[in-house]
Amino acid sequence: RSPLTALKLNMEQVLQDVEAGADNETVEPMLRECARGVERVTRLSNQLLLLARSEPDAMANTPFERLDLAALARSVGAEWVPRALQRGIDIGLDVPPQPVPVGGNPVLLAEALNNLLDNAIKYHPGGGRIAIEVQAQPRAAVRIADDGPGIPPALREPALKRFFRVDRSGSEGSGLGLAIVQEIVRAHGG
């Protein structure tokens, strides 16, 4: 409710200011905040839809296909490089030279990697390293590791629950990312 309430209040304020004859310099910051609010609501809606799609009953109807886990990790990782560089974080990729074939849903697996990389970058103090590692043997696997603060051991189990947030310092997030990752990983036999 919070993102929608904030968005509604900002929109009402913009309308009042426009009716009162406010100039662009007054209205522009509020419109930018509204745009950020729309982004937050969109992200939350997408996360809720993805969570619903990753639940066991829904996953039973999700098509799996043969895909290259190394190519997927390479592609998803490349999308995060600009954001990581803005924070002074190096993203390394360690994948076998040959394809790593797995059966899975590429959209859901990409979302799991996106959520992990988003968290790794968002909660990293900056100036460090994130590694994306793919292994083919003894079993295909992908791992995201970073040198950030990590999740305290006592909070690792609760961090996988829906809507639980380890960091409540004001950073954006819904507490759904790791729960979604866990559901996707389970559905893929991980």
Side-chain angles (χ1 to χ4, degrees):
R1 284 179 241 159
S2 176
L4 288 175
T5 301
L7 182 58
K8 182 177 183 272
L9 292 173
N10 281 332
M11 296 293 285
E12 288 172 353
Q13 185 63 51
V14 167
L15 290 172
Q16 287 176 4
D17 288 354
V18 167
E19 288 172 2
D23 60 11
N24 286 346
E25 286 183 27
T26 303
V27 176
E28 185 178 346
M30 289 184 282
L31 288 174
R32 290 191 188 284
E33 183 58 35
C34 289
R36 284 190 292 276
V38 168
E39 287 175 24
R40 285 190 299 270
V41 170
T42 301
R43 174 87 172 134
L44 178 58
S45 298
N46 288 338
Q47 291 276 292
L48 288 169
L49 287 170
L50 190 59
L51 184 62
R53 276 190 269 155
S54 66
E55 289 182 345
D57 290 345
M59 286 300 294
N61 298 320
T62 300
F64 278 29
E65 60 189 66
R66 294 299 285 171
L67 61 104
D68 178 5
L69 190 58
L72 181 70
R74 190 177 296 113
S75 172
V76 171
E79 293 174 20
W80 288 93
V81 169
R83 185 164 160 217
L85 289 175
Q86 287 177 343
R87 306 267 330 277
I89 301 169
D90 177 51
I91 293 186
L93 181 67
D94 181 14
V95 299
Q98 72 280 1
V100 179
V102 296
N105 183 287
V107 173
L108 293 176
L109 289 172
E111 187 62 28
L113 293 175
N114 280 319
N115 281 342
L116 293 172
L117 287 165
D118 181 43
N119 280 357
I121 293 170
K122 184 186 307 179
Y123 298 113
H124 197 290
R129 181 167 166 72
I130 295 171
I132 304 169
E133 303 164 354
V134 177
Q135 70 179 41
Q137 299 296 328
R139 171 179 180 186
V142 64
R143 179 175 177 246
I144 309 294
D146 66 74
D147 59 0
I151 298 173
L155 297 178
R156 289 182 185 157
E157 179 91 16
L160 297 173
K161 295 188 183 338
R162 297 174 184 187
F163 303 108
F164 183 86
R165 296 201 53 224
V166 173
D167 177 25
R168 299 185 186 275
S169 66
S171 64
E172 294 177 10
S174 61
L176 290 173
L178 292 179
I180 290 169
V181 170
Q182 183 178 35
E183 292 293 335
I184 292 170
V185 168
R186 282 182 181 158
H188 286 83

